[in-house]
Amino acid sequence: MNPTVTKPTLILGGTGKTGRRLAERLTARGLPVQIGSRSGTPPFDWENNTTWEPALDGVGAVYISYYPDLAVPGAADTVGAFSRLAVECGVRRLVLLSGRGETEAQRAEEMLKASGADWTILRCAWFSQNFSEGFLVESLLEGEVALPVGSVGEPFVDADDIAEAAFAVLTQQGHVGELYELTGPRLLSFADAVAEIGRAAGRDIRFIRISHAEFTATTAEHELPAEFAWLLNELFTEVLDGRNESLTDGVQRVLGRAPKDFSTYATETAATGIWRN
C-alpha cells in the first residue's frame, strides 16, 4: 500500500462523476478521504485561491478534477498554481484528471509536470456517464438527442473504470511519472451510442445532427452558465473533429483488464430506470 494514503486523499471535484466514485472506493477500503468542494470541510473553491492551502493541510495526496473542465481558458494556469502550492505545502502526490485532444488540458498536464510533484495523469475520452449523469439525460427522456456532431467515432470510457484507475495509481507503487490515456474498447458515433441506449431502455430514441448555430441557440434557451455553454460548444466544435478517433490500452495497463464496453454501461444504466419517463 502506498504510504501517502494513510493520510487523507483530497479529492477535488469529490461530488462529481469520477471523484464521487473514487471517494467510495477509498472509503470502502477504510482509507481516509477529504472532499474538496465549496460545501466541503474546509471548503475548496477553484476561483478563490485562499481556500486552497487550508484544504491541503494534513493530506497525503490530491486527485485533481477541475471544474467545469480543463478545456476552459485559464484552467491550466490555475492547475499549475495549485500544483506548485501543493508541493510547497509538502503534498507531492498529485493525480490529474485530463481530457483527450484538449489544448488547455494538455497545457495543464505540462504545468503539473513542472510543479515538482510526483505526478500521474489520467487523460480520458468522453465519459459514458455524460448520457446518464449530465446534460444529455433530458434529451434522452424526451426521445430525441440533437447535437452538432456527425459520424466521428468516440471511444466512450466508463467513469467506474476511471475511478478504479485513480484508486490504483493512488494506492499502488509504480505509477509516478506515468500518463495513462483511458478509452473504452471500441469507437461509437453519438448516433450509435444513442441507438444502444434506446435498445437497452426499450425505447425509440432518435439522434439528429444539427448545426453549431442551432446548438448554440439551444444551449442559450436552457440558460446554462456561460462557461458551461462555452465548454459544450468547444467540445463539439473542436474536440470532436476526429482527433480522438483511436483506441488506447490505458485501462489495460493500469487495471490489467479490458475497459467496460458501452453496451454494458447502457444495459446496467437502463436497469436503473434513469432513461424512462
Side-chain angles (χ1 to χ4, degrees):
M1 183 66 72
N2 192 320
T4 59
V5 294
T6 57
K7 291 183 177 181
T9 296
L10 172 62
I11 303 178
L12 304 182
T15 57
K17 294 182 187 72
T18 63
R20 172 170 53 82
R21 288 170 166 84
L22 173 59
E24 289 169 355
R25 282 161 173 76
L26 289 166
T27 302
R29 299 292 181 90
L31 299 172
V33 165
Q34 183 172 310
I35 302 300
S37 69
R38 290 175 181 173
S39 58
T41 307
F44 178 90
D45 185 349
W46 278 115
E47 296 179 4
N48 180 2
N49 60 11
T50 64
T51 66
W52 299 357
E53 192 167 341
L56 287 164
D57 185 40
V59 306
V62 186
Y63 176 74
I64 304 173
S65 174
Y66 184 85
Y67 180 85
D69 192 275
L70 279 182
V72 174
D77 293 323
T78 304
V79 167
F82 174 82
S83 301
R84 291 190 297 273
L85 178 65
V87 172
E88 288 170 14
C89 293
V91 186
R92 297 183 58 87
R93 188 70 184 102
L94 305 180
V95 175
L96 176 68
L97 176 69
S98 186
R100 294 180 93 207
E102 299 174 14
T103 303
E104 191 74 357
Q106 263 86 92
R107 207 163 72 82
E109 294 175 7
E110 295 309 312
M111 294 280 199
L112 176 71
K113 293 176 184 178
S115 69
D118 294 333
W119 58 268
T120 305
I121 295 166
L122 303 178
R123 185 191 288 169
C124 301
W126 270 70
F127 299 175
S128 299
Q129 278 73 10
N130 286 336
F131 290 98
S132 52
E133 299 174 27
F135 70 101
L136 292 171
V137 174
E138 186 179 337
S139 298
L140 288 163
L141 286 172
E142 291 170 356
E144 183 176 290
V145 177
L147 295 171
V149 61
S151 59
V152 63
E154 175 67 24
F156 297 101
V157 64
D158 198 280
D160 283 314
D161 282 350
I162 300 169
E164 285 186 27
F167 176 84
V169 302
L170 281 164
T171 59
Q172 299 168 6
Q173 303 288 353
H175 298 289
V176 171
E178 295 287 343
L179 188 158
Y180 298 109
E181 200 158 332
L182 307 181
T183 72
R186 62 189 170 108
L187 296 169
L188 294 89
S189 68
F190 274 76
D192 293 335
V194 169
E196 291 211 10
I197 288 170
R199 283 193 293 274
R203 296 180 53 219
D204 180 24
I205 304 175
R206 294 195 304 151
F207 177 84
I208 300 173
R209 183 179 184 178
I210 58 175
S211 70
H212 293 298
E214 289 172 305
F215 183 65
T216 300
T218 300
T219 54
E221 286 172 11
H222 284 78
E223 298 181 350
L224 296 169
E227 70 273 15
F228 192 67
W230 178 92
L231 171 63
L232 290 178
N233 200 54
E234 169 76 4
L235 294 177
F236 281 108
T237 57
E238 296 292 332
V239 179
L240 285 168
D241 62 357
R243 69 183 69 178
N244 294 330
E245 212 165 10
S246 62
L247 305 176
T248 67
D249 63 352
V251 172
Q252 183 74 43
R253 285 172 59 206
V254 181
L255 300 177
R257 62 165 175 79
K260 183 189 287 189
D261 190 79
F262 189 85
S263 62
T264 304
Y265 155 77
T267 301
E268 292 175 352
T269 306
T272 68
I274 187 74
W275 294 316
R276 287 203 166 275
N277 285 318

